[in-house]
Amino acid sequence: MKPNAGERAAQVMLALLKTMCYLALFLGAQVFVMLPVAIASIVQMTLEGGAFDGRLPFQALAEHSMAFSLVANMLTLFILMAFYLIRRKRFSEALWLRRVDGPILWSGVCLAPVLFLSVNLVLSSLPDAWLESYSDASAGLTSGGAVGFIAVVAAAPLVEEIVFRGLIMTRMGQAMPGWLAVFLSATIFGLCHGHPVWFGYAFVLGAFFGFIDLRAGSILPSILGHVAFNSFSQVLSLLPEDNETGAVIALGIILVMAILLPILNRKGIAALFRPAPKVPPVQTLPTVPGTYEFDPWEI
């Protein structure tokens, strides 16, 4: 029996409330880690008696942004793990870390080169003023040595996929159609990145990974795909700016991967686009409470 309008509205409100809580945890961890540094910078300026410069706290944060990001992501993950351990919930179900077949598991990785080249092709066509602003905002993401690499390639993909796809998207998907849950979670993901170019960049990634996860029934494919996508950016950032030959070779390798990997994993990718299995009529479902879950693809 489908819920009536009032029950559906209550489900949507509950999903939005959960979304706000998970988003507050994610953003709150960032603020909690960075706020002491900003306060310390302000106190130091006050004690030195110099004129207040509002840029200094931001400069202090930018210098170690990757370290702060790594700590904040680890804090978020620790809180989530503690929360579900206390509630005695299985991580595989609570965070959608479900096992999937090998071909589907690697579908995100196999499509990541195509996504990376497509995104960068669009970025290269943007106006110069937009690209300059985007480059300035992204400067901290390609610095920090080993800490920065771990923060961008490992910690960020894991925590972002858990929060925005494993928690936010799936909770919304229990109260609304799957396509709408993907759209809203991708929008929130984009807004959290702040910069207008980052918004479009992150929205595309969020929608792409969200689609894969809903079809796979797990966030494992998007975690691996996100790791691969960020790895390409980090590897290219290691090349000197004047090394055009190295950049061309690296992009050529990614292009070859974009062609070969989807072919090699065509079965797993094709499975993502197969029609979802039909849900049997309600009257034929078992009557045991809790055995029927809302179909996230139901319109």
Side-chain angles (χ1 to χ4, degrees):
M1 180 177 179
K2 291 187 176 181
N4 57 37
E7 292 173 338
R8 178 57 59 85
Q11 290 176 355
V12 171
M13 292 300 296
L14 180 60
L16 293 177
L17 179 61
K18 291 180 179 179
T19 295
M20 293 174 61
C21 292
Y22 293 128
L23 188 58
L25 169 62
F26 179 78
L27 297 178
Q30 310 286 327
V31 174
F32 179 79
V33 171
M34 297 182 181
L35 187 59
V37 178
I39 293 176
S41 298
I42 295 174
V43 171
Q44 182 179 359
M45 284 187 294
T46 303
L47 294 177
E48 292 177 351
F52 178 78
D53 187 351
R55 294 174 298 178
L56 292 180
F58 292 101
Q59 291 176 358
L61 294 173
E63 290 177 359
H64 306 284
S65 60
M66 288 297 92
F68 294 139
S69 175
L70 178 59
V71 173
N73 281 325
M74 292 299 96
L75 177 61
T76 301
L77 187 60
F78 173 78
I79 293 174
L80 287 173
M81 292 178 65
F83 176 74
Y84 285 109
L85 280 174
I86 292 173
R87 296 187 62 193
R88 297 183 180 179
K89 297 284 187 178
R90 292 177 58 190
F91 293 139
S92 58
E93 288 301 316
L95 305 179
W96 248 39
L97 294 167
R98 300 168 176 169
R99 293 182 179 179
V100 293
D101 294 336
I104 296 179
L105 174 66
W106 295 104
S107 58
V109 173
C110 294
L111 292 173
V114 179
L115 179 63
F116 180 82
L117 293 176
S118 301
V119 167
N120 280 273
L121 180 62
V122 173
L123 288 176
S124 65
S125 65
L126 295 177
D128 292 340
W130 289 25
L131 287 176
E132 184 177 354
S133 175
Y134 170 73
S135 297
D136 292 340
S138 305
L141 298 180
T142 56
S143 62
V147 172
F149 192 88
I150 294 172
V152 174
V153 174
L158 175 62
V159 175
E160 288 176 358
E161 292 307 312
I162 285 177
V163 172
F164 292 96
R165 256 67 70 185
L167 292 173
I168 291 178
M169 186 191 72
T170 59
R171 273 50 176 183
M172 286 185 173
Q174 294 174 353
M176 60 186 68
W179 65 267
L180 183 56
V182 170
F183 175 81
L184 291 178
S185 61
T187 300
I188 295 171
F189 185 55
L191 290 173
C192 287
H193 285 73
H195 193 279
V197 176
W198 267 355
F199 169 81
Y201 188 109
F203 175 83
V204 171
L205 263 65
F208 176 82
F209 290 136
F211 168 79
I212 291 178
D213 288 344
L214 273 187
R215 300 303 292 177
S218 169
I219 65 170
L220 291 179
S222 70
I223 290 176
L224 296 178
H226 202 154
V227 168
F229 186 95
N230 285 11
S231 297
F232 297 144
S233 298
Q234 288 296 295
V235 170
L236 287 175
S237 71
L238 297 176
L239 298 174
E241 294 184 2
D242 58 350
N243 188 357
E244 296 183 359
T245 302
V248 171
I249 293 175
L251 289 173
I253 294 174
I254 296 175
L255 178 60
V256 172
M257 295 173 64
I259 297 172
L260 293 181
L261 291 182
I263 295 176
L264 295 175
N265 193 32
R266 56 188 180 276
K267 291 184 178 180
I269 295 173
L272 298 175
F273 296 91
R274 293 194 189 113
K278 293 184 178 180
V279 178
V282 174
Q283 57 266 27
T284 65
L285 291 171
T287 57
V288 179
T291 56
Y292 176 73
E293 293 183 353
F294 177 76
D295 179 11
W297 287 95
E298 182 182 8
I299 305 270

